[in-house]
Amino acid sequence: MDNNLEDIEKIKNILEIKVRERTEELYQSKKLLETEIADRKLIDKRLKESETRYRYIIEHSTNFFYTHNIDHVLTYVSPQSFSFLGCSPEDAKRKWTDFVTDHPMNKDGFMHTQKAIDTGIAQPPFELELKTIQGKIIYVEVHETPIVENGKTVAIVGALINITPRKEAIKKNKDNEQKYRNLFENAPDGIIQLDDKGYILECNNAYCEMIDYKHEELIGKHVTSTLASEQKNLFKDNFPTLINTGKLLLEEVHLTKKKGEIVKVRRNANAIYDANGKFSGIIVHTHNITKQKELEEKLMNVKKLEAVGLMASRIAHEFKNILQSIMGYSHFAIEGLHKDEQRFKDIEQIQKASNRADIIVKNLLKTGKRFDLDLLAVNVDSTVSRFVNDNKNTFGERITVEYNPEKNLNKMLVNGDTLHIELVLLNMCFNAADAIEGNGTIKISTKIIKNKKIQKDIYEWVDDKNFVTITVSDNGLGINKNSLNHIFDPFFTTKSVDKGTGLGLSSAFEIIKSHKGFIEVNSKLGKGTDFFINIPLME
Amino acid sequence: MSRILVVDDDEQIRELFKRILQDEGHQVFLAADGVDGIKLYKREQPDLMLLDIIMPNKEGIEVIREIINEFKYAKIIAVSGGGRGNAKDYLSFAMHFGAKLIIEKPVSTEKLIEAINNVLNK
């Protein structure tokens, strides 16, 4: 029995040792597990933290993130869908295609994505045009990276950057530039840009047209190359002022067109400076004042005519009294004398002279006011024909008078005074004859001119557009430009004192004015002169 | 023979008209301005007055008005040298206030005589 007990004790001891060992083992194992759990927990925590951080970054980025699979089906959309597209990420995922417009550049974008999927290689960023849920157009720049596993693309990760403000700024800039270019090209004034030496860098259409040059003919030329010869030093003389003051106004500059014609312009120059404040060039505005100058001159002529006319009428009054005496007393003096007596002939000369003076004084009076005309329906052809016929020998043997009538003879009706029209013609022919040296021809022609352009601000009394125009041409000396401005002035004459009174053309002008017509003149030194007498056509 | 008053501020014209009219057998009175002209007209009461329209002292128009006012049937010929911007207005005024005829200077001797005879015979 004792033996039995001893055995039991032994077994018990062994068992106790084994239990202790196992317990220790379990304890160790538990400890290990606990440590492992703690580690795992830590990792989990860290992971969670990291994910939160990334989510935080993604969700608070100004960029819009997404992923999609190789079938272009979106698997993730970041909450920026709200700010980009105006809808939730879920809606964005579901209705993605609704946001893509049919702008052609979007097709290119799709091809980039497909290429990234096919090759597994990231493509350069591209742009898309999108439409928000509210219908607003936005522009995005797309950065996409393919996710590759085992050599095969499984997904695409993408980020969108909103580039709408940048796009709009560029467009605005472009619009602005276009606007300024339009302003430059369509400006009515010529604009030229010069470098600091005065060479033309750029000029607009208006400037090219003004002086009749092509753009490429002007670029690179010096600005003085088109100055009229008498003003060649203008640039040199005024350059220092421009540099010193930064601006310069030249009231009247004469430019020469390609074919030599003179254009009068007003120039406004402004110096331009580079970023360092150094003088770098000039902008010149050129305003064409040719027409304006012409008008001013003509208007001045008409005004002068009126003023001088008034004075003339006062002088005429005095002359009429004097003429009355001369004519009256010579009437007594000639009484009782025989035609063959020398004294009869002498007094007859006095009477002839006073008759001529009477005509001059009458015309002189008429320069100040409208002529008292007997206006009747007159055929200009018959008037001119008779005039030419009557005055074949009036201007001496050396002068031939030719008449070239309009074809529609019987249509040349005007409301006119035959005698006064003849007076005008006589006057012009005398002038023409005086202008011709040696033998020559005075050519008179008539023509009906319809829809004639009238400078209303000068010939304000003219109401009509259709005229019978009588042209009186000579191949004489011509009239120089200076005199041409004065030929209709009373008392203006280039002839010596004993030859002309200077009243002829001003009277002629007044007579035609009283017909509601006007006279124009065209003359070239050494070539001759054309007078155009325009009388309104009777309809 | 008629009695004619010539009023003109130009002495040469006065003398000329006087001679022309005397040669025609008329009796002629002369005045050098409007004031004298009216005085003389009232004193002599001529058959006809040859009156310059533009004169110093008193304008021809005023002379016509005064004479016609007193002598309703006075025969007046207005003579004008023209001139003055609105000479035409002066002439139409003269007719309006009672001048029988208007003559413009210079006038030939024949025409002057003819005009005077016409007015005298009316």
Side-chain angles (χ1 to χ4, degrees), chain A residues 130-371:
Chain A
L130 303 179
K131 196 164 74 183
T132 69
I133 210 153
Q134 290 84 11
K136 199 185 144 211
I137 296 288
I138 63 163
Y139 296 92
V140 294
E141 192 174 84
V142 185
H143 295 256
E144 284 187 333
T145 314
I147 306 288
V148 182
E149 279 174 15
N150 305 323
K152 268 188 106 183
T153 306
V154 291
I156 291 284
V157 177
L160 303 183
I161 302 169
N162 190 353
I163 55 164
T164 312
R166 195 208 310 165
K167 271 269 183 198
E168 275 171 357
I170 290 171
K171 187 169 175 280
K172 209 169 159 192
N173 238 340
K174 230 179 183 171
D175 287 353
N176 268 344
E177 200 199 308
Q178 187 58 41
K179 204 160 74 194
Y180 285 121
R181 181 141 283 277
N182 280 344
L183 271 176
F184 176 73
E185 281 306 344
N186 297 316
D189 281 353
I191 304 174
I192 29 178
Q193 187 191 352
L194 308 177
D195 69 5
D196 57 344
K197 303 273 185 310
Y199 288 92
I200 299 175
L201 296 175
E202 183 58 289
C203 64
N204 67 351
N205 284 336
Y207 188 70
C208 297
E209 278 170 19
M210 198 180 290
I211 53 173
D212 210 12
Y213 276 91
K214 288 194 185 111
H215 184 262
E216 63 265 27
E217 291 172 322
L218 289 168
I219 303 302
K221 291 269 161 59
H222 198 266
V223 68
T224 54
S225 67
T226 49
L227 277 182
S229 52
E230 75 268 17
Q231 293 192 327
K232 278 291 180 214
N233 291 329
L234 206 62
F235 182 79
K236 208 175 71 196
D237 295 347
N238 289 288
F239 199 62
T241 316
L242 177 60
I243 303 259
N244 289 334
T245 63
K247 51 176 84 173
L248 179 69
L249 172 68
L250 296 172
E251 281 294 351
E252 192 172 330
V253 177
H254 295 179
L255 304 177
T256 315
K257 278 192 182 184
K258 205 179 195 171
K259 285 178 185 155
E261 210 181 317
I262 295 286
V263 186
K264 292 177 184 171
V265 299
R266 183 169 53 234
R267 278 205 152 154
N268 233 321
N270 286 295
I272 41 179
Y273 303 90
D274 63 15
N276 303 319
K278 196 178 152 247
F279 169 71
S280 63
I282 309 163
I283 298 282
V284 185
H285 284 251
T286 305
H287 182 63
N288 194 341
I289 53 167
T290 312
K291 267 256 135 57
Q292 186 193 331
K293 284 276 155 193
E294 267 173 29
L295 284 180
E296 277 172 11
E297 273 169 23
K298 283 186 182 169
L299 203 68
M300 221 150 77
N301 283 347
V302 173
K303 287 246 157 47
K304 246 190 288 176
L305 251 173
E306 283 174 1
V308 180
L310 193 68
M311 192 190 78
S313 73
R314 289 185 179 150
I315 296 170
H317 175 68
E318 301 300 322
F319 269 62
K320 279 187 165 190
N321 274 337
I322 294 165
L323 278 174
Q324 180 70 66
S325 294
I326 296 172
M327 287 164 87
Y329 286 109
S330 59
H331 183 84
F332 287 128
I334 208 165
E335 255 178 0
L337 296 178
H338 191 270
K339 272 203 295 212
D340 296 334
E341 276 183 73
Q342 187 57 46
R343 267 182 56 207
F344 184 94
K345 286 175 186 160
D346 293 345
I347 296 167
E348 212 178 32
Q349 286 305 318
I350 294 174
Q351 286 178 332
K352 270 189 188 167
S354 49
N355 281 334
R356 259 178 45 216
D358 184 28
I359 292 174
I360 289 171
V361 170
K362 275 206 175 100
N363 287 337
L364 173 57
L365 250 185
K366 285 166 182 171
T367 56
K369 54 176 187 177
R370 293 201 169 193
F371 276 68

Side-chain angles (χ1 to χ4, degrees), chain B residues 4-5 7 37 41 46-51 63 67 75-77:
Chain B
I4 299 176
L5 170 60
V7 186
Y41 192 97
D47 302 310
L48 184 140
M49 176 160 69
L50 210 54
L51 175 69
V63 176
I67 299 293
K75 291 178 173 172
I76 303 172
I77 295 179

Side-chain angles (χ1 to χ4, degrees), chain B residues 72-84:
Chain B
K72 206 178 164 189
Y73 300 105
K75 291 178 173 172
I76 303 172
I77 295 179
V79 185
S80 163
R84 294 217 179 167

Side-chain angles (χ1 to χ4, degrees), chain A residues 53-68:
Chain A
R53 203 159 49 236
Y54 283 119
R55 187 172 289 277
Y56 188 84
I57 290 173
I58 284 181
E59 291 183 356
H60 288 85
S61 165
T62 51
N63 293 350
F64 175 110
F65 298 96
Y66 62 89
T67 55
H68 65 70

